[in-house]
Amino acid sequence: EDDLSADVISYSACISACQEEGEWEHALQLLQAMRSQDFGLSLVAYSAACSACAKAFQWQRALSLFRALRRGPEPLSLASYDA
């Protein structure tokens, strides 16, 4: 039987799709769902959510996500700063 449960990759892909479509609220909902499942900090997911917020002029939310990224265990890439 195939395991169809969500994982970091599927969440990150969905958040990236939300970012492309300007759906910042859905991106944040997915990010929260991902966090509630204890997947940890995903650089791709956080960067996409940050970018979705920035594109929608939700600067407070974008900065909050960026700060969370900076506190995380993974080093930030140039793309993260560009988000």
Side-chain angles (χ1 to χ4, degrees), residues 45-72:
Y46 269 78
S47 293
C50 184
S51 183
C53 290
K55 285 182 176 181
F57 303 104
Q58 298 294 318
W59 298 108
Q60 297 279 344
R61 289 177 173 92
L63 288 173
S64 176
L65 291 171
F66 184 73
R67 286 186 195 111
L69 272 175
R70 289 184 56 201
R71 289 189 303 266

Side-chain angles (χ1 to χ4, degrees), residues 11 15 25-38 46:
Y11 271 112
I15 293 169
E25 292 167 314
H26 288 118
L28 293 181
Q29 289 171 355
L30 288 166
L31 190 64
Q32 181 60 38
M34 189 177 98
R35 286 190 291 209
S36 72
Q37 294 189 23
D38 293 328
Y46 269 78

